[in-house]
Amino acid sequence: MTTSSTFRGRRRVAEIAQAVLLLGLPFLRVGGESALRFDVPTLRLHLLGASLAMDEMFGVLAATLFVTFAFLLLTLVLGRVWCGWACPQTVLSDLTAPLDRWRRRGGTRAAAAHLGLLAVSAVVGASLVWWFVEPRAFLRALAGGTLHPVAAGAWAVLALVLYLDLAFLRARFCATACPYAKVQGVLFDRHTLVVAYDAGRDADCIDCGACVRCCPTGIDIRDGLQMECIACAECADACAPIMRKLKRQPDLVGYFFGEPGGRARLARPAVLALGALTAASLVLLGTTAAARSALELEAEVVPGFAPRRTPDGQVVNAYQLQVENRGREPMELRLALDAPGLSARLTPDEIRLEPGERRDLKVLALADPPGPGGRRVEARLRAGPAAGRGPARSRGVPFVVPEQR
Ligand code: SF4
Ligand code: SF4
């Protein structure tokens, strides 16, 4: 059992850190772009310096798998610690608790509290829009009265929903509507960390009701584990000083692994299985990130274009290319055809791509025929930096040498 006297203080530190992180992260820039933002105008996900296009979402899928398995593992081992310590719903409810107390008193204080909750909702609503629209651009457009109607509308709806939540729902959302709360019964086992009441020491309870009065979801921890419990440990904080005063130790309510007296036990099948899946998805994510190139190239022969000879005897093949710059800098690229025994010239052989640009182009390859006709040479079409260092990609293509007529 853990000592409970400072759970609230520790939770406040965690909650303020989370609020600062969520409000500040959209402003943090890595490699000239937001550290984490799905940019709606370009449909690209900016993630810690990488810029992923929509068709690169395999990486996003790998990241989603990792987050999902890690979250399931966290729930299995530490129960609803997310709900009590880090969920934005709890964080916002706790950090606006003084306003809520004013609201319940009525009169002018209630009016001031509603204004305060509206202001908080507006700021938090804007911060949610900043995950999709660059925050400095958002603020500039807002100041200049040129905010896009879609961004303004999304902000207004989010702020309204947040205000209604903070003014009228608060922790009742956790107890009634939160889907995560509904599945906790499936995710918990006999060793999961929970806030619990030591029913074996029922005689030590003086039935003062302090643990019930402070509970944000209005339940009685003495009735055992309930779906409404968000593991905030407010009840443990309320009971601990009473037990100390009565010199009845250890605390009657607190965090336990499974049941009062229970100890952490990580070596259990479900934890090991979820741990393996979390590690596997992390490896998949790392592999996907390592294999990613800022330059993307696809190449195929132009359908319907028959390889031919020019009047001076040169052989012409034609390729359809799709080149994409997935980086943040312009690219000057040189195109080349590597084929054994061939010295081929490409037209065009140099292109420039702006950041994020994707281009389809047709390329002609001319070469002196290498020996007799009626042959197919396996070649590689290559795109690389015209000067200096940079990403390079190549694709296998055939170079067909037709018969001499
Ligand atoms: S606060 Fe402690 S002593 Fe008071 S009712 Fe709750 S469990 Fe019993
Ligand atoms: S029972 Fe205790 S831990 Fe659970 S929600 Fe209520 S105060 Fe928080």
Side-chain angles (χ1 to χ4, degrees), residues 107-340:
T108 51
R109 283 194 173 188
H114 280 288
L115 281 177
L117 290 174
L118 266 174
V120 170
S121 305
V123 172
V124 177
S127 79
L128 294 175
V129 177
W130 297 339
W131 296 103
F132 304 94
V133 178
E134 208 284 319
R136 290 169 190 82
F138 177 97
L139 293 173
R140 272 197 304 276
L142 182 64
T146 57
L147 191 59
H148 194 283
V150 174
W155 180 27
V157 170
L158 287 168
L160 178 66
V161 170
L162 281 164
Y163 166 72
L164 294 174
D165 176 33
L166 292 176
F168 304 107
L169 259 184
R170 303 181 73 80
R172 274 194 295 279
F173 173 85
C174 315
T176 56
C178 177
Y180 179 54
K182 309 266 189 248
V183 297
Q184 66 162 324
V186 183
L187 298 174
F188 281 24
D189 67 12
R190 289 188 303 118
H191 304 284
T192 300
L193 185 72
V194 291
V195 175
Y197 165 76
D198 190 349
R201 290 169 48 212
D202 223 9
D204 287 343
C205 174
I206 59 170
D207 205 16
C208 64
C211 55
V212 181
R213 284 192 300 278
C214 70
C215 176
T217 61
I219 59 173
D220 188 339
I221 189 67
R222 295 172 296 174
D223 293 339
L225 182 63
Q226 294 153 75
M227 185 202 77
E228 293 87 348
C229 179
I230 59 171
C232 65
E234 288 284 334
C235 50
D237 279 348
C239 185
I242 297 165
M243 289 299 112
R244 274 199 298 275
K245 204 167 167 185
L246 296 173
K247 297 194 175 14
R248 295 174 186 174
Q249 292 293 310
D251 293 343
L252 199 48
V253 183
Y255 281 107
F256 297 99
F257 282 97
E259 55 191 24
R263 303 223 330 250
R265 202 166 75 85
L266 291 179
R268 49 198 212 259
V271 173
L272 295 178
L274 270 174
L277 286 170
T278 306
S281 53
L282 185 61
V283 169
L284 178 66
L285 179 61
T287 313
T288 309
R292 182 179 184 274
S293 168
L295 174 64
E296 202 45 63
L297 171 72
E298 294 299 335
E300 60 177 8
V301 295
V302 174
F305 182 95
R308 61 198 66 174
R309 289 174 186 259
T310 62
D312 60 359
Q314 288 201 310
V315 177
V316 184
N317 279 229
Y319 304 104
Q320 184 67 46
L321 266 58
Q322 211 173 60
V323 207
E324 184 179 2
N325 176 0
R326 291 178 164 170
R328 298 229 172 87
E329 302 293 330
M331 284 183 185
E332 303 280 356
L333 296 173
R334 183 179 298 283
L335 304 175
L337 189 75
D338 300 330

